[in-house]
Amino acid sequence: MAERSEVIWNRIDRACRFAATEWHPLCKRARALYHGQHWPGMRSKRSERSRVVVNYCRPTVETKVANLAFAYPEFHLKPLNREGAEFATVATHLLTYDWREAGAQAEAKRALRDANIFGLGIVATGWLFETEPRDGKPGVRVEGGRPAEAVEPTDSTPDSAPLEDALPPEEVPPPVRTDRPFVKRVSPLCFFIDPEGDSVLENAAWCGYWELRPLEEVKADRRFKNTRQLKGTSKDLTPWMSEELRGYDEAIMPADCKRTKLFHYYEKATRLHYIFSDEHQKPLLTEEWHWEGDHYPFAYLRTPDDEDAFYPTSPLIWVEHQQREINESRTQHSEWRRQAAPKYQTSSTLEEAQRQAVASDRAGTVVEGVQQGLTPLV
């Protein structure tokens, strides 16, 4: 098992390095174009030079997203037999209900925006099971499948007997809060895949994503093991901490400030799902896929691009040159207007108020007290 864990961890590390080299720089350029940061250093300092930005990238993205995701999708089912045809209408309404309850519309819209900005939008799909908290302890939360020990009565439980009467109080499962399909947007910068894969996700031998989770939440999850060694880190929250908290050592940092990085790894050949932490190479969770079929639990939108690589080029980068041409031409117009503003000379020494009057851009400004007059510079 230790050798297997090392192999998987090396794959994750290799995939993350590949993404950081080949994918993240493109995402950084695309994000800057979307936010209108088209000139060097715009985010960090203010320039005295005219730098006009006519940002066509953001309105283009938002217009496409608003027009494509303004309403719920229409589900069309094709029954396979007469019995299925009788329930087709009910099944269609049930799909619409699950779509609404899962918040799938909002998550799909976020992924659509990602696809138009970065060229890749991804959502994770599956089943969400949650129970109510009990005795001050958080309830069970499972993304991907329902834990067998929490949902089914024992074989000896009579069908007519309530579960609360059939089991001792300490063994009665807490009330179920959520039991439905789920859809969750995955940041394209957090998604990793086998570097040897091509443009089709299902052709990859393995893939996954990483996320930051509160350390307390990870340690309280009863599905996880090998959590005792986890210490977590607060570095991602440090910029927004008070001066007092910044001076704390990690060992005494408040628990609610600590996060741990979890890697979800999916392998098609074995149909296994692993969860690792970045603090050691022992898996926190190893489980079989909870769904039928050999497809990964992801739905994605990908901009058409090179068929030999999964990560595409952002559509905003396609028009980066045209966007810069527009910005530069408008900047030149702005500079020409400034350069063409009337300028004057005089042999008299001007006071500050007179200088301001001469430099004013208001028509008809009166310059008082100039003895020798003002001569326009041609």
Side-chain angles (χ1 to χ4, degrees), residues 6-19:
E6 184 178 0
V7 170
I8 295 175
W9 181 251
N10 287 336
R11 288 178 177 178
I12 294 174
D13 181 67
R14 186 164 61 247
C16 290
R17 292 176 184 274
F18 173 73

Side-chain angles (χ1 to χ4, degrees), residues 27-314:
C27 293
K28 185 178 180 180
R29 285 172 59 189
R31 176 173 284 169
L33 287 167
Y34 175 77
H35 287 295
Q37 299 166 2
H38 300 171
W39 296 91
M42 282 192 67
R43 189 171 184 177
S44 58
K45 60 182 179 180
R46 184 180 181 87
S47 175
E48 297 299 330
R49 179 175 174 267
S50 298
R51 297 190 300 183
V52 179
V53 173
V54 185
N55 190 1
Y56 284 101
C57 294
R58 186 165 191 156
T60 300
V61 169
E62 294 304 324
T63 300
K64 293 173 67 176
V65 172
N67 279 274
L68 291 173
F70 71 96
Y72 283 7
E74 295 183 3
F75 297 98
H76 299 279
L77 303 181
K78 184 178 181 179
L80 299 178
N81 49 45
R82 182 176 299 176
E83 181 180 2
E86 296 177 359
F87 297 97
T89 302
V90 175
T92 301
H93 289 300
L94 181 60
L95 280 174
T96 304
Y97 173 81
D98 284 339
W99 181 269
R100 182 176 65 251
E101 290 298 307
Q105 184 72 15
E107 297 301 295
K109 187 174 182 178
R110 295 174 69 195
L112 176 62
R113 182 176 286 106
D114 285 338
N116 282 277
I117 296 175
F118 304 111
L120 180 65
I122 306 173
V123 293
T125 61
W127 197 270
L128 175 63
F129 178 82
E130 290 180 303
T131 62
E132 296 288 350
R134 173 186 286 179
D135 301 330
K137 298 180 180 179
V140 175
R141 177 184 173 88
V142 180
E143 292 182 358
R146 306 169 72 192
E149 68 275 8
V151 296
E152 298 295 342
T154 61
D155 295 338
S156 60
T157 304
D159 294 338
S160 59
L163 188 59
E164 291 78 1
D165 298 337
L167 295 174
E170 64 274 7
E171 296 183 15
V172 175
V176 176
R177 172 189 291 178
T178 307
D179 192 11
R180 57 164 173 77
F182 84 93
V183 178
K184 180 178 69 174
R185 176 225 177 217
V186 175
S187 171
L189 283 84
C190 298
F191 190 81
F192 59 84
I193 192 171
D194 181 5
E196 296 179 315
D198 56 21
S199 62
V200 181
L201 176 63
E202 297 301 329
N203 292 342
W206 46 268
C207 66
Y209 67 96
W210 63 265
E211 61 177 347
L212 289 176
R213 294 270 296 277
L215 180 63
E216 288 182 316
E217 183 179 304
V218 173
K219 285 182 173 286
D221 196 321
R222 288 175 288 179
R223 301 177 303 149
F224 291 164
K225 58 182 181 180
N226 299 320
T227 60
R228 182 175 301 178
Q229 307 95 318
L230 300 182
K231 301 183 182 300
T233 179
S234 60
K235 64 180 182 180
D236 295 295
L237 299 177
T238 299
W240 302 280
M241 289 182 180
S242 65
E243 293 296 334
E244 181 183 1
L245 284 180
R246 290 183 188 180
Y248 283 7
D249 186 80
E250 284 289 350
I252 61 174
M253 187 68 68
D256 67 319
C257 295
K258 293 186 177 182
R259 301 290 183 267
T260 185
K261 194 173 185 178
L262 299 185
F263 294 88
H264 294 258
Y265 171 91
Y266 299 88
E267 186 173 285
K268 179 176 287 191
T270 58
R271 289 176 51 84
L272 289 177
H273 169 216
Y274 295 85
I275 298 180
F276 286 83
S277 169
D278 64 341
E279 298 187 39
H280 58 65
Q281 296 185 8
K282 298 178 181 179
L284 306 185
L285 176 69
T286 303
E287 62 178 357
E288 294 183 356
W289 290 3
H290 296 284
W291 56 93
E292 298 180 0
D294 295 328
H295 57 86
Y296 290 113
F298 301 105
Y300 68 102
L301 294 170
R302 179 182 178 276
T303 301
D305 204 346
D306 185 359
E307 295 296 332
D308 293 326
F310 182 75
Y311 294 127
T313 302
S314 164

